[in-house]
Amino acid sequence: MLKILEKVNEIESGEVGMIIYSKLKQEIVLSHNEKLVVPLASTAKVAIGFCVAKSVEEGNCKWYDIIKNISYDPKEDSNELYPHFQNRDNLALQEAVEVMIACHDQSIANRIVQFLGGWEKVNKMIKSYFNRVNISPDPRSSDNKGELNHLMNLLCEVYQGYEHNPELWHPLINGLVRQRGEIDGIPSHFLNHMTGGLEDLIVDMGIMGEFTKHPLLYVFGAKNLPNRNTEKWADEKMIEVMKLIYNEYCDQGEAQKR
């Protein structure tokens, strides 16, 4: 973990934080600047999905309820990941949540939130579980933000929820598994994550490793970076960090065999 921390600290401009949770050890194994509050960008969609799952759990709606008047964000990639949905303007709730997460689709996110009762109600719901997370209709808004500690708690709830009740949590996990974001050198099925970014922000939360064999859960955030459209070094450092997390996961597996 020391190598990961050293690499994270190479991002000298702006503010950066990271948390890694070991499913094998059942504990946080790296925590750096864990109270850092970062803009959520698209990672807010995991929080929305969490609220849907809790609403289904409480019996307020069902995964097969129909969301009407669906439209797809033309800036995202649902036409490539879900080509068979493109002529449909109605989706089952579970399909809508999966597409929202897999494709970072804000248009579908808006429809899901309206189905649940609106942004104020959904924001109140997420705060009742993670009071340092705030979501807004505009993913680029400064009000769309969360503390790394609470984002890790959110990710753990989703992962552990799927472990114990896959029928309830599968739409969120399907979205994480299906979205793109491959990194050379890491098997694509070992990296299931939700990324977010703005010109001066990188945020990433995900599951590294074989899903059912003690993966590492991580949350990473870096804000106030130099403009990423012209300065690529922060993104390059992030890729190096991800590769080091993968190495830690592989080393963990080798240690178990010994």
Side-chain angles (χ1 to χ4, degrees):
M1 293 296 166
L2 181 59
K3 289 182 179 179
I4 297 174
L5 182 57
E6 289 173 347
K7 187 61 64 177
V8 167
N9 283 329
E10 288 180 13
I11 303 176
E12 296 178 347
S13 297
E15 299 174 80
V16 61
M18 183 158 210
I19 306 173
I20 300 177
Y21 174 86
S22 168
K23 186 67 177 61
L24 178 64
K25 296 181 180 180
Q26 299 283 302
E27 65 182 17
I28 298 291
V29 291
L30 187 152
S31 181
H32 173 66
N33 207 7
E34 68 277 0
K35 292 188 176 181
L36 180 67
V37 175
V38 296
L40 295 178
S42 284
T43 56
K45 293 170 178 64
V46 178
I48 295 170
F50 174 89
C51 290
V52 179
K54 284 297 182 181
S55 294
V56 172
E57 184 178 48
E58 293 165 5
N60 297 322
C61 56
K62 298 179 177 63
W63 278 126
Y64 51 79
D65 286 343
I66 299 300
I67 308 295
K68 298 180 179 179
N69 301 319
I70 287 287
S71 61
Y72 302 94
D73 189 335
K75 299 188 298 293
E76 305 299 347
D77 59 357
S78 67
N79 61 325
E80 298 175 36
L81 285 180
Y82 296 90
H84 53 307
F85 284 0
Q86 297 308 300
N87 288 331
R88 293 174 56 184
D89 57 7
N90 295 344
L91 292 177
L93 181 58
Q94 62 184 10
E95 294 172 329
V97 166
E98 180 180 333
V99 175
M100 171 185 68
I101 293 174
C103 302
H104 299 204
D105 195 303
Q106 187 63 29
S107 297
I108 293 181
N110 291 335
R111 291 296 304 127
I112 292 170
V113 169
Q114 293 309 312
F115 174 82
L116 290 181
W119 285 96
E120 184 176 349
K121 181 177 180 179
V122 172
N123 206 28
K124 184 177 180 180
M125 186 186 305
I126 195 66
K127 281 181 170 297
S128 71
Y129 293 97
F130 314 105
N131 64 5
R132 296 286 286 166
V133 174
N134 194 84
I135 58 177
S136 73
D138 180 3
R140 302 179 67 87
S141 169
S142 59
D143 291 330
N144 198 49
K145 60 189 177 181
E147 183 181 294
L148 293 185
N149 261 330
H150 288 241
L151 296 180
M152 174 55 78
N153 292 341
L154 169 61
L155 181 62
C156 286
E157 286 271 357
V158 172
Y159 178 82
Q160 292 166 0
Y162 183 76
E163 276 192 308
H164 297 109
N165 190 356
E167 292 80 7
L168 176 63
W169 293 94
H170 74 91
L172 282 77
I173 296 299
N174 285 354
L176 290 174
V177 167
R178 190 155 189 171
Q179 73 166 277
R180 294 170 173 176
E182 294 84 357
I183 294 176
D184 187 43
I186 303 176
S188 59
H189 63 290
F190 278 15
L191 179 57
N192 304 297
H193 63 147
M194 186 74 182
T195 60
L198 302 171
E199 291 84 355
D200 62 347
L201 165 77
I202 302 172
V203 60
D204 195 335
M205 57 193 299
I207 301 158
M208 179 71 78
E210 193 164 356
F211 202 92
T212 59
K213 294 186 178 179
H214 306 301
L216 296 173
L217 278 60
Y218 70 87
V219 173
F220 173 89
K223 66 178 182 178
N224 301 324
L225 299 170
N227 192 311
R228 295 172 55 227
N229 294 324
T230 55
E231 300 285 343
K232 302 297 183 184
W233 59 266
D235 294 80
E236 293 166 358
K237 292 294 181 186
M238 178 58 190
I239 290 173
E240 292 175 24
V241 168
M242 299 298 287
K243 290 181 176 179
L244 288 173
I245 298 174
Y246 174 63
N247 289 342
E248 286 285 344
Y249 172 76
C250 293
D251 290 346
Q252 168 186 281
E254 289 300 318
Q256 283 183 276
K257 294 177 184 177
R258 292 197 288 268

mmCIF file of all heavy atoms in Angstrom, residues 197-229:
data_model
loop_
_atom_site.group_PDB
_atom_site.id
_atom_site.type_symbol
_atom_site.label_atom_id
_atom_site.label_comp_id
_atom_site.label_asym_id
_atom_site.label_seq_id
_atom_site.Cartn_x
_atom_site.Cartn_y
_atom_site.Cartn_z
ATOM 1 N N GLY A 197 -15.676 12.951 -13.830
ATOM 2 C CA GLY A 197 -14.616 13.906 -14.095
ATOM 3 C C GLY A 197 -15.141 15.222 -14.617
ATOM 4 O O GLY A 197 -16.194 15.290 -15.247
ATOM 5 N N LEU A 198 -14.406 16.275 -14.306
ATOM 6 C CA LEU A 198 -14.616 17.611 -14.850
ATOM 7 C C LEU A 198 -13.253 18.110 -15.310
ATOM 8 O O LEU A 198 -12.257 17.383 -15.227
ATOM 9 C CB LEU A 198 -15.225 18.533 -13.783
ATOM 10 C CG LEU A 198 -16.557 18.076 -13.168
ATOM 11 C CD1 LEU A 198 -16.921 18.956 -11.986
ATOM 12 C CD2 LEU A 198 -17.661 18.059 -14.204
ATOM 13 N N GLU A 199 -13.200 19.327 -15.773
ATOM 14 C CA GLU A 199 -11.924 19.852 -16.251
ATOM 15 C C GLU A 199 -10.838 19.820 -15.184
ATOM 16 O O GLU A 199 -9.668 19.636 -15.480
ATOM 17 C CB GLU A 199 -12.094 21.289 -16.756
ATOM 18 C CG GLU A 199 -12.900 21.423 -18.044
ATOM 19 C CD GLU A 199 -14.404 21.452 -17.791
ATOM 20 O OE1 GLU A 199 -14.823 21.272 -16.629
ATOM 21 O OE2 GLU A 199 -15.162 21.670 -18.762
ATOM 22 N N ASP A 200 -11.259 19.969 -13.909
ATOM 23 C CA ASP A 200 -10.278 20.042 -12.826
ATOM 24 C C ASP A 200 -10.481 18.949 -11.784
ATOM 25 O O ASP A 200 -10.044 19.077 -10.639
ATOM 26 C CB ASP A 200 -10.345 21.408 -12.141
ATOM 27 C CG ASP A 200 -11.704 21.668 -11.491
ATOM 28 O OD1 ASP A 200 -12.669 20.918 -11.771
ATOM 29 O OD2 ASP A 200 -11.794 22.620 -10.693
ATOM 30 N N LEU A 201 -11.132 17.866 -12.177
ATOM 31 C CA LEU A 201 -11.525 16.838 -11.207
ATOM 32 C C LEU A 201 -11.387 15.438 -11.788
ATOM 33 O O LEU A 201 -11.709 15.206 -12.957
ATOM 34 C CB LEU A 201 -12.994 17.040 -10.806
ATOM 35 C CG LEU A 201 -13.670 15.866 -10.080
ATOM 36 C CD1 LEU A 201 -13.221 15.814 -8.625
ATOM 37 C CD2 LEU A 201 -15.183 15.953 -10.189
ATOM 38 N N ILE A 202 -10.914 14.504 -10.932
ATOM 39 C CA ILE A 202 -11.014 13.071 -11.210
ATOM 40 C C ILE A 202 -11.631 12.424 -9.985
ATOM 41 O O ILE A 202 -11.181 12.658 -8.856
ATOM 42 C CB ILE A 202 -9.641 12.421 -11.474
ATOM 43 C CG1 ILE A 202 -8.904 13.085 -12.637
ATOM 44 C CG2 ILE A 202 -9.813 10.929 -11.753
ATOM 45 C CD1 ILE A 202 -7.467 12.599 -12.793
ATOM 46 N N VAL A 203 -12.657 11.621 -10.167
ATOM 47 C CA VAL A 203 -13.219 10.838 -9.073
ATOM 48 C C VAL A 203 -13.526 9.445 -9.599
ATOM 49 O O VAL A 203 -13.973 9.288 -10.741
ATOM 50 C CB VAL A 203 -14.469 11.523 -8.464
ATOM 51 C CG1 VAL A 203 -15.567 11.695 -9.504
ATOM 52 C CG2 VAL A 203 -14.991 10.764 -7.259
ATOM 53 N N ASP A 204 -13.238 8.435 -8.786
ATOM 54 C CA ASP A 204 -13.402 7.051 -9.229
ATOM 55 C C ASP A 204 -13.708 6.200 -8.001
ATOM 56 O O ASP A 204 -13.051 6.334 -6.961
ATOM 57 C CB ASP A 204 -12.109 6.563 -9.897
ATOM 58 C CG ASP A 204 -12.285 5.277 -10.701
ATOM 59 O OD1 ASP A 204 -13.214 4.512 -10.394
ATOM 60 O OD2 ASP A 204 -11.483 5.038 -11.614
ATOM 61 N N MET A 205 -14.718 5.362 -8.113
ATOM 62 C CA MET A 205 -15.040 4.428 -7.032
ATOM 63 C C MET A 205 -15.320 3.074 -7.656
ATOM 64 O O MET A 205 -16.028 2.981 -8.668
ATOM 65 C CB MET A 205 -16.241 4.924 -6.214
ATOM 66 C CG MET A 205 -17.515 5.161 -7.001
ATOM 67 S SD MET A 205 -18.769 6.100 -6.081
ATOM 68 C CE MET A 205 -19.092 5.032 -4.683
ATOM 69 N N GLY A 206 -14.717 2.014 -7.099
ATOM 70 C CA GLY A 206 -14.899 0.743 -7.766
ATOM 71 C C GLY A 206 -14.412 -0.462 -6.999
ATOM 72 O O GLY A 206 -13.988 -0.384 -5.839
ATOM 73 N N ILE A 207 -14.464 -1.582 -7.697
ATOM 74 C CA ILE A 207 -14.159 -2.902 -7.156
ATOM 75 C C ILE A 207 -13.048 -3.487 -8.016
ATOM 76 O O ILE A 207 -13.238 -3.692 -9.221
ATOM 77 C CB ILE A 207 -15.413 -3.796 -7.184
ATOM 78 C CG1 ILE A 207 -16.539 -3.151 -6.374
ATOM 79 C CG2 ILE A 207 -15.101 -5.198 -6.674
ATOM 80 C CD1 ILE A 207 -17.924 -3.632 -6.741
ATOM 81 N N MET A 208 -11.896 -3.725 -7.409
ATOM 82 C CA MET A 208 -10.735 -4.232 -8.136
ATOM 83 C C MET A 208 -10.496 -5.693 -7.773
ATOM 84 O O MET A 208 -10.287 -6.025 -6.606
ATOM 85 C CB MET A 208 -9.483 -3.415 -7.795
ATOM 86 C CG MET A 208 -8.218 -3.902 -8.497
ATOM 87 S SD MET A 208 -8.215 -3.555 -10.271
ATOM 88 C CE MET A 208 -7.804 -1.798 -10.249
ATOM 89 N N GLY A 209 -10.518 -6.545 -8.783
ATOM 90 C CA GLY A 209 -10.235 -7.956 -8.565
ATOM 91 C C GLY A 209 -11.407 -8.834 -8.934
ATOM 92 O O GLY A 209 -12.474 -8.354 -9.325
ATOM 93 N N GLU A 210 -11.204 -10.131 -8.810
ATOM 94 C CA GLU A 210 -12.275 -11.074 -9.116
ATOM 95 C C GLU A 210 -13.424 -10.845 -8.139
ATOM 96 O O GLU A 210 -13.232 -10.867 -6.916
ATOM 97 C CB GLU A 210 -11.753 -12.507 -9.031
ATOM 98 C CG GLU A 210 -12.700 -13.518 -9.623
ATOM 99 C CD GLU A 210 -12.046 -14.862 -9.884
ATOM 100 O OE1 GLU A 210 -10.819 -14.980 -9.679
ATOM 101 O OE2 GLU A 210 -12.758 -15.795 -10.294
ATOM 102 N N PHE A 211 -14.598 -10.647 -8.678
ATOM 103 C CA PHE A 211 -15.710 -10.108 -7.906
ATOM 104 C C PHE A 211 -16.025 -10.944 -6.669
ATOM 105 O O PHE A 211 -16.342 -10.408 -5.607
ATOM 106 C CB PHE A 211 -16.957 -10.012 -8.802
ATOM 107 C CG PHE A 211 -17.973 -9.034 -8.314
ATOM 108 C CD1 PHE A 211 -17.957 -7.714 -8.741
ATOM 109 C CD2 PHE A 211 -18.956 -9.413 -7.414
ATOM 110 C CE1 PHE A 211 -18.894 -6.800 -8.294
ATOM 111 C CE2 PHE A 211 -19.900 -8.510 -6.954
ATOM 112 C CZ PHE A 211 -19.870 -7.201 -7.400
ATOM 113 N N THR A 212 -15.955 -12.247 -6.777
ATOM 114 C CA THR A 212 -16.352 -13.132 -5.677
ATOM 115 C C THR A 212 -15.179 -13.624 -4.853
ATOM 116 O O THR A 212 -15.352 -14.484 -3.984
ATOM 117 C CB THR A 212 -17.127 -14.338 -6.228
ATOM 118 O OG1 THR A 212 -16.293 -15.041 -7.169
ATOM 119 C CG2 THR A 212 -18.400 -13.905 -6.926
ATOM 120 N N LYS A 213 -13.974 -13.106 -5.119
ATOM 121 C CA LYS A 213 -12.786 -13.611 -4.411
ATOM 122 C C LYS A 213 -12.011 -12.467 -3.760
ATOM 123 O O LYS A 213 -10.912 -12.111 -4.168
ATOM 124 C CB LYS A 213 -11.894 -14.395 -5.370
ATOM 125 C CG LYS A 213 -12.549 -15.681 -5.872
ATOM 126 C CD LYS A 213 -11.599 -16.525 -6.701
ATOM 127 C CE LYS A 213 -12.267 -17.833 -7.144
ATOM 128 N NZ LYS A 213 -11.374 -18.668 -7.966
ATOM 129 N N HIS A 214 -12.613 -11.886 -2.741
ATOM 130 C CA HIS A 214 -11.966 -10.888 -1.890
ATOM 131 C C HIS A 214 -11.351 -9.727 -2.665
ATOM 132 O O HIS A 214 -10.139 -9.489 -2.600
ATOM 133 C CB HIS A 214 -10.894 -11.554 -1.024
ATOM 134 C CG HIS A 214 -11.390 -12.705 -0.214
ATOM 135 N ND1 HIS A 214 -12.402 -12.576 0.717
ATOM 136 C CD2 HIS A 214 -11.027 -14.013 -0.205
ATOM 137 C CE1 HIS A 214 -12.630 -13.755 1.274
ATOM 138 N NE2 HIS A 214 -11.817 -14.638 0.727
ATOM 139 N N PRO A 215 -12.154 -8.984 -3.420
ATOM 140 C CA PRO A 215 -11.603 -7.832 -4.152
ATOM 141 C C PRO A 215 -11.220 -6.706 -3.198
ATOM 142 O O PRO A 215 -11.528 -6.737 -1.997
ATOM 143 C CB PRO A 215 -12.763 -7.419 -5.055
ATOM 144 C CG PRO A 215 -13.979 -7.799 -4.272
ATOM 145 C CD PRO A 215 -13.620 -9.090 -3.581
ATOM 146 N N LEU A 216 -10.547 -5.724 -3.747
ATOM 147 C CA LEU A 216 -10.281 -4.478 -3.035
ATOM 148 C C LEU A 216 -11.294 -3.439 -3.497
ATOM 149 O O LEU A 216 -11.502 -3.271 -4.699
ATOM 150 C CB LEU A 216 -8.864 -3.986 -3.330
ATOM 151 C CG LEU A 216 -7.716 -4.874 -2.847
ATOM 152 C CD1 LEU A 216 -6.385 -4.345 -3.375
ATOM 153 C CD2 LEU A 216 -7.678 -4.962 -1.324
ATOM 154 N N LEU A 217 -11.933 -2.758 -2.567
ATOM 155 C CA LEU A 217 -12.847 -1.669 -2.885
ATOM 156 C C LEU A 217 -12.097 -0.358 -2.680
ATOM 157 O O LEU A 217 -11.362 -0.220 -1.691
ATOM 158 C CB LEU A 217 -14.083 -1.707 -1.988
ATOM 159 C CG LEU A 217 -15.215 -2.667 -2.371
ATOM 160 C CD1 LEU A 217 -14.746 -4.113 -2.401
ATOM 161 C CD2 LEU A 217 -16.394 -2.530 -1.413
ATOM 162 N N TYR A 218 -12.259 0.572 -3.602
ATOM 163 C CA TYR A 218 -11.494 1.812 -3.496
ATOM 164 C C TYR A 218 -12.346 3.020 -3.881
ATOM 165 O O TYR A 218 -13.307 2.917 -4.655
ATOM 166 C CB TYR A 218 -10.247 1.754 -4.402
ATOM 167 C CG TYR A 218 -10.598 1.801 -5.875
ATOM 168 C CD1 TYR A 218 -10.754 3.020 -6.533
ATOM 169 C CD2 TYR A 218 -10.831 0.640 -6.589
ATOM 170 C CE1 TYR A 218 -11.118 3.071 -7.871
ATOM 171 C CE2 TYR A 218 -11.200 0.676 -7.921
ATOM 172 C CZ TYR A 218 -11.344 1.898 -8.557
ATOM 173 O OH TYR A 218 -11.725 1.936 -9.873
ATOM 174 N N VAL A 219 -11.966 4.157 -3.311
ATOM 175 C CA VAL A 219 -12.526 5.452 -3.687
ATOM 176 C C VAL A 219 -11.357 6.414 -3.837
ATOM 177 O O VAL A 219 -10.488 6.489 -2.958
ATOM 178 C CB VAL A 219 -13.517 5.977 -2.630
ATOM 179 C CG1 VAL A 219 -13.955 7.389 -2.964
ATOM 180 C CG2 VAL A 219 -14.728 5.072 -2.521
ATOM 181 N N PHE A 220 -11.328 7.143 -4.940
ATOM 182 C CA PHE A 220 -10.252 8.081 -5.224
ATOM 183 C C PHE A 220 -10.861 9.403 -5.663
ATOM 184 O O PHE A 220 -11.832 9.429 -6.419
ATOM 185 C CB PHE A 220 -9.360 7.537 -6.343
ATOM 186 C CG PHE A 220 -8.318 8.500 -6.834
ATOM 187 C CD1 PHE A 220 -7.066 8.553 -6.253
ATOM 188 C CD2 PHE A 220 -8.586 9.371 -7.885
ATOM 189 C CE1 PHE A 220 -6.102 9.437 -6.701
ATOM 190 C CE2 PHE A 220 -7.638 10.266 -8.344
ATOM 191 C CZ PHE A 220 -6.381 10.299 -7.743
ATOM 192 N N GLY A 221 -10.290 10.496 -5.176
ATOM 193 C CA GLY A 221 -10.751 11.813 -5.615
ATOM 194 C C GLY A 221 -9.597 12.794 -5.686
ATOM 195 O O GLY A 221 -8.734 12.821 -4.804
ATOM 196 N N ALA A 222 -9.542 13.584 -6.753
ATOM 197 C CA ALA A 222 -8.555 14.655 -6.899
ATOM 198 C C ALA A 222 -9.264 15.860 -7.494
ATOM 199 O O ALA A 222 -9.923 15.744 -8.532
ATOM 200 C CB ALA A 222 -7.399 14.211 -7.785
ATOM 201 N N LYS A 223 -9.153 17.009 -6.836
ATOM 202 C CA LYS A 223 -9.860 18.198 -7.312
ATOM 203 C C LYS A 223 -8.894 19.379 -7.386
ATOM 204 O O LYS A 223 -7.769 19.325 -6.892
ATOM 205 C CB LYS A 223 -11.036 18.522 -6.402
ATOM 206 C CG LYS A 223 -10.662 18.946 -4.984
ATOM 207 C CD LYS A 223 -11.919 19.293 -4.178
ATOM 208 C CE LYS A 223 -11.567 19.769 -2.780
ATOM 209 N NZ LYS A 223 -12.769 20.155 -2.000
ATOM 210 N N ASN A 224 -9.370 20.451 -8.010
ATOM 211 C CA ASN A 224 -8.559 21.656 -8.225
ATOM 212 C C ASN A 224 -7.283 21.340 -9.005
ATOM 213 O O ASN A 224 -6.207 21.881 -8.720
ATOM 214 C CB ASN A 224 -8.221 22.336 -6.888
ATOM 215 C CG ASN A 224 -9.464 22.743 -6.113
ATOM 216 O OD1 ASN A 224 -10.466 23.155 -6.706
ATOM 217 N ND2 ASN A 224 -9.417 22.616 -4.796
ATOM 218 N N LEU A 225 -7.424 20.461 -9.989
ATOM 219 C CA LEU A 225 -6.301 20.083 -10.843
ATOM 220 C C LEU A 225 -6.133 21.103 -11.973
ATOM 221 O O LEU A 225 -7.080 21.814 -12.324
ATOM 222 C CB LEU A 225 -6.550 18.705 -11.449
ATOM 223 C CG LEU A 225 -6.706 17.538 -10.475
ATOM 224 C CD1 LEU A 225 -7.190 16.288 -11.218
ATOM 225 C CD2 LEU A 225 -5.398 17.250 -9.752
ATOM 226 N N PRO A 226 -4.949 21.160 -12.582
ATOM 227 C CA PRO A 226 -4.809 21.926 -13.825
ATOM 228 C C PRO A 226 -5.757 21.363 -14.881
ATOM 229 O O PRO A 226 -6.132 20.183 -14.830
ATOM 230 C CB PRO A 226 -3.344 21.701 -14.215
ATOM 231 C CG PRO A 226 -2.661 21.314 -12.944
ATOM 232 C CD PRO A 226 -3.680 20.563 -12.141
ATOM 233 N N ASN A 227 -6.163 22.188 -15.811
ATOM 234 C CA ASN A 227 -7.151 21.793 -16.816
ATOM 235 C C ASN A 227 -6.762 20.479 -17.490
ATOM 236 O O ASN A 227 -5.730 20.377 -18.150
ATOM 237 C CB ASN A 227 -7.292 22.891 -17.870
ATOM 238 C CG ASN A 227 -8.493 22.662 -18.764
ATOM 239 O OD1 ASN A 227 -8.705 21.575 -19.294
ATOM 240 N ND2 ASN A 227 -9.294 23.703 -18.944
ATOM 241 N N ARG A 228 -7.605 19.463 -17.292
ATOM 242 C CA ARG A 228 -7.301 18.122 -17.799
ATOM 243 C C ARG A 228 -7.439 18.025 -19.312
ATOM 244 O O ARG A 228 -6.994 17.043 -19.909
ATOM 245 C CB ARG A 228 -8.211 17.099 -17.116
ATOM 246 C CG ARG A 228 -7.968 16.980 -15.626
ATOM 247 C CD ARG A 228 -9.004 16.101 -14.952
ATOM 248 N NE ARG A 228 -9.062 14.793 -15.573
ATOM 249 C CZ ARG A 228 -10.198 14.169 -15.923
ATOM 250 N NH1 ARG A 228 -11.376 14.770 -15.739
ATOM 251 N NH2 ARG A 228 -10.168 12.977 -16.473
ATOM 252 N N ASN A 229 -8.058 19.007 -19.924
ATOM 253 C CA ASN A 229 -8.152 18.997 -21.388
ATOM 254 C C ASN A 229 -6.801 19.251 -22.040
ATOM 255 O O ASN A 229 -6.569 18.837 -23.174
ATOM 256 C CB ASN A 229 -9.169 20.038 -21.860
ATOM 257 C CG ASN A 229 -10.584 19.696 -21.426
ATOM 258 O OD1 ASN A 229 -10.956 18.524 -21.397
ATOM 259 N ND2 ASN A 229 -11.361 20.706 -21.084
#
